[in-house]
Amino acid sequence: WLFVQMDWASLKEEMKDVTRGKAFGEIFDPNAQGLDIKDETLIPGVAIFSRRAGPLAGWTGSLDLSNIKPDRKRACLILETGVNNKWKYAAFDKTKENIAESEAWESAKESVGGLHFLAIQDNPDADVCSGIWLLLDRPLPKV
């Protein structure tokens, strides 16, 4: 897996396969959520690579994805689902470089109002994604 980023125009193009039913995923219009996202805005994401991308995307599609956060203390990605479920999704070596990269990714996510994505594909050179989810990290409302 890798931390990645994609401009909004390219990401919208990738997400068309979800609306056509050719890929698993969930998408939404971030501008309808009050975000001001332009075509050239870079959106941070996480790309997962697996020879079993199709089944992994299918399983991921069964979850109510809400957010991905790096956990620098445990050196892993946390996948948040539903209201209160958290999964240790992917690990990374706890090096200064990887910690810095996870901090930069989280900062990039904050700079676009919490917008980010998860992409699952066969390999880094694949032309299509088996699944793509647009996610939004936002605080829960105070009750």
Side-chain angles (χ1 to χ4, degrees):
W1 67 271
L2 291 172
F3 287 119
V4 295
Q5 61 183 1
M6 185 179 288
D7 65 80
W8 180 237
S10 299
L11 189 55
K12 285 191 295 188
E13 196 61 35
E14 286 288 331
M15 293 186 309
K16 286 182 180 177
D17 280 349
V18 174
T19 58
R20 293 179 185 137
K22 294 182 179 183
F24 293 98
E26 288 186 38
I27 59 174
F28 59 89
D29 179 3
N31 294 314
Q33 301 295 319
L35 300 175
D36 184 24
I37 305 297
K38 310 260 188 283
D39 280 350
E40 63 277 359
T41 303
L42 291 176
I43 310 300
V46 171
I48 305 292
F49 310 112
S50 171
R51 289 182 302 247
R52 295 182 41 81
L56 179 58
W59 173 80
T60 303
S62 72
L63 303 171
D64 184 20
L65 300 185
S66 62
N67 191 20
I68 298 173
K69 288 187 178 185
D71 183 332
R72 291 175 283 285
K73 207 177 219 181
R74 295 188 296 175
C76 65
L77 295 179
I78 301 296
L79 182 66
E80 296 182 358
T81 63
V83 175
N84 62 355
N85 294 318
K86 296 181 181 186
W87 306 72
K88 183 177 177 182
Y89 193 64
F92 55 87
D93 291 331
K94 197 172 186 179
T95 64
K96 288 181 184 179
E97 294 82 10
N98 288 344
I99 298 297
E101 186 176 9
S102 71
E103 289 170 346
W105 185 83
E106 189 70 19
S107 177
K109 187 171 80 166
E110 289 170 10
S111 74
V112 290
L115 188 64
H116 58 296
F117 67 92
L118 172 67
I120 298 176
Q121 56 192 80
D122 292 329
N123 62 68
D125 299 320
D127 291 331
V128 295
C129 292
S130 296
I132 192 160
W133 288 262
L134 196 58
L135 306 169
L136 186 59
D137 183 5
R138 64 168 59 168
L140 293 174
K142 299 196 190 266
V143 182

